[in-house]
Amino acid sequence: MHKITFTIFFVIIFFNAIGQSSPGDQILGEWINEEKDTRIEIYKSGTHYAGKLVWALNLMEADGQTPRKDVNNTDEKLRTRNLSNIDLLHDFVFSDGIWDDGKMYDPKSGKTYNCLMKLRSEKLEIRGYVGIPLLGRTTYWERVL
């Protein structure tokens, strides 16, 4: 009887531990940029965090039928891909309250920047930079409810 009770207790504890999310998962979900013209879904892929473009005011060409392409990309092979659902954020690692070591792609310029993210009062602070964070720009995204 004690073996059965112990086994059940162990299984419950094991599955409870697996089901808990890590502190880094706080940023999972949809966010809207400062300009309110773009929504990004942040998701987890293995131990890394990424974000894809899920909605934008200008995802379609003027005809309203043709999806916009990634025409400003520095990689010529990627210029024919649709902007919808492309990863704008990739390779972030969570440590000590910061999502760091990631990259942010800007489809308006076609450039990719080093990036770090922090949660600040229910807003996501995103710092894109070249070289060191001091040489960068910060933007704040709001969670989509």
Side-chain angles (χ1 to χ4, degrees), residues 24-85:
D25 292 352
Q26 298 173 71
I27 63 167
L28 298 179
E30 281 191 24
W31 296 85
I32 192 161
N33 68 346
E34 271 184 299
E35 296 81 14
K36 309 274 191 254
D37 64 356
T38 304
R39 282 189 183 185
I40 297 88
E41 179 186 352
I42 297 180
Y43 63 95
K44 192 171 184 180
S45 178
T47 58
H48 292 87
Y49 295 86
K52 66 181 176 179
L53 177 65
V54 292
W55 175 86
L57 283 178
N58 61 352
L59 277 182
M60 301 301 264
E61 294 291 345
D63 67 6
Q65 302 286 326
T66 309
R68 283 196 189 260
K69 305 294 182 193
D70 191 11
V71 295
N72 296 320
N73 200 305
T74 56
D75 183 345
E76 288 185 29
K77 292 179 247 167
L78 297 177
R79 291 181 184 166
T80 58
R81 71 179 176 170
N82 293 341
L83 284 176
S84 182
N85 292 315

Side-chain angles (χ1 to χ4, degrees), residues 9-24:
F9 177 75
F10 179 77
V11 168
I12 290 171
I13 296 297
F14 177 76
F15 282 110
N16 191 25
I18 289 176
Q20 294 180 0
S21 61
S22 74

Side-chain angles (χ1 to χ4, degrees), residues 80-92:
T80 58
R81 71 179 176 170
N82 293 341
L83 284 176
S84 182
N85 292 315
I86 63 170
D87 278 342
L88 300 181
L89 306 171
H90 51 90
D91 297 330
F92 286 87

Side-chain angles (χ1 to χ4, degrees), residues 17 32 80 94 105 141:
I32 192 161
T80 58
F94 179 76
Y105 174 66
W141 293 356

